[in-house]
Amino acid sequence: MSTQVHERVVYAEARGEPDLRPHTYLRVAAVAVLLLAWEAVSRAGIFPRVFLPPPSAVVVELWRMAASGDLWRNVQPSLARILGGFAIGSAAGVALGTLAAVSVRAEAVIDPLVALAYPIPKIALLPLIILWLGIGEASKIAVIAVGAFFPVFISTVTGLRGANPSLMRAAQSLGASRWQIIQKVMIPSALPVVFAGLRLATGMSLLLVVSAEMIAATRGIGYLILYAGDLLQTTRLMAGIAVLSVFGLLSTWVLRWFERMVVRGVE
């Protein structure tokens, strides 16, 4: 579901309007058609199986890895790195973004630093971070935190600055303090944009954890994918990619659920 559709759903639910979500069966049907077409092409032998194994073989490989414990041995470190880096980067993004949006002096200090650092590919920082923090967990969590920081910072600043000026003037004319305006007008207005930034940050976290694990790790989904690719174990490689896809879906669902709870709580 696109961000715009999701935002309409959130506000429609808050106003008690009918559900605007597209029919679930269409989503399920689209995924089923894709998987069936993939299975058919693979079994027809159009491409060698070593390059395109059928999805049923990927599911069997996932089951085998789960039964042997190999799946969890690689999922657990990746999850810990993603959660740690995402939490640190998002918290810093919300805190500094709020500061830059409500204080002109803070904006003058923070904005140029963000503008300088933002264009740098974050994975390019990993060798430097390894020099500073060593090759252990801290360096991987740090590079994920840096990647998660920027989308959350930018969305927080954009959301808070995009608050309706008429509402802010009305609150001011009624004697609301600056903190009350921030709390009652700016934050509720900014929440959908901030959560959109958080969802972008989860995607960035997935990208960076795989990249970091391919460079400097002996466990993790990124390491598993790289190792399977080197040995031409395509089924195992695709099983690793499927796990990443599940990570992405789960994180999106959790953030959407949390967004609904927060939006209802502040209204």
Side-chain angles (χ1 to χ4, degrees):
M1 189 189 302
S2 69
T3 302
Q4 291 82 0
V5 172
H6 177 58
E7 288 168 3
R8 291 206 308 274
V9 170
V10 170
Y11 287 112
E13 287 178 350
R15 292 193 298 266
E17 293 176 358
D19 193 349
L20 297 176
R21 282 174 289 195
H23 296 295
T24 303
Y25 71 87
L26 284 177
R27 301 160 185 271
V28 176
V31 175
V33 167
L34 174 67
L35 291 176
L36 287 172
W38 175 6
E39 182 83 21
V41 168
S42 179
R43 288 188 178 279
I46 298 173
F47 300 100
R49 275 203 178 195
V50 70
F51 296 125
L52 187 67
S56 56
V58 176
V59 171
V60 170
E61 177 66 16
L62 271 172
W63 179 260
R64 195 190 63 76
M65 290 165 61
S68 68
D70 196 23
L71 184 62
W72 180 245
R73 274 195 296 276
N74 288 287
V75 164
Q76 186 272 332
S78 293
L79 265 182
R81 289 161 188 156
I82 291 170
L83 291 175
F86 176 77
I88 295 169
S90 299
V94 169
L96 291 181
T98 303
L99 201 59
V102 301
S103 166
V104 176
R105 288 190 180 90
E107 179 195 5
V109 174
I110 297 170
D111 259 11
L113 300 178
V114 171
L116 281 172
Y118 179 64
I120 300 172
K122 309 307 172 280
I123 196 62
L125 297 173
L126 183 60
L128 181 62
I129 293 175
I130 287 175
L131 282 177
W132 289 344
L133 302 178
I135 203 166
E137 295 302 307
S139 56
K140 299 174 190 66
I141 291 173
V143 77
I144 294 169
V146 171
F149 168 80
F150 289 99
V152 178
F153 173 85
I154 292 168
S155 63
T156 302
V157 173
T158 305
L160 289 171
R161 287 179 182 166
N164 190 328
S166 301
L167 287 178
M168 293 172 67
R169 281 194 294 272
Q172 213 167 10
S173 66
L174 291 172
S177 65
R178 190 180 182 195
W179 169 243
Q180 286 173 321
I181 292 174
I182 293 172
Q183 186 185 11
K184 300 293 183 183
V185 179
M186 294 177 73
I187 290 178
S189 167
L191 282 176
V193 186
V194 173
F195 273 96
L198 288 170
R199 287 195 289 276
L200 288 174
T202 58
M204 182 62 74
S205 300
L206 283 175
L207 173 69
L208 287 172
V209 76
V210 171
S211 303
E213 287 173 352
M214 284 181 172
I215 294 172
T218 54
R219 284 198 309 157
I221 296 300
Y223 170 77
L224 183 148
I225 290 172
L226 181 69
Y227 190 71
D230 286 345
L231 298 179
L232 215 59
Q233 296 174 337
T234 318
T235 309
R236 191 176 176 86
L237 186 156
M238 288 189 170
I241 293 172
V243 171
L244 290 174
S245 178
V246 172
F247 278 5
L249 278 174
L250 287 178
S251 64
T252 300
W253 288 341
V254 169
L255 280 173
R256 284 175 177 166
W257 171 82
F258 190 56
E259 180 181 357
R260 290 190 192 102
M261 296 301 106
V262 173
V263 168
R264 284 173 183 160
V266 299
E267 288 185 348

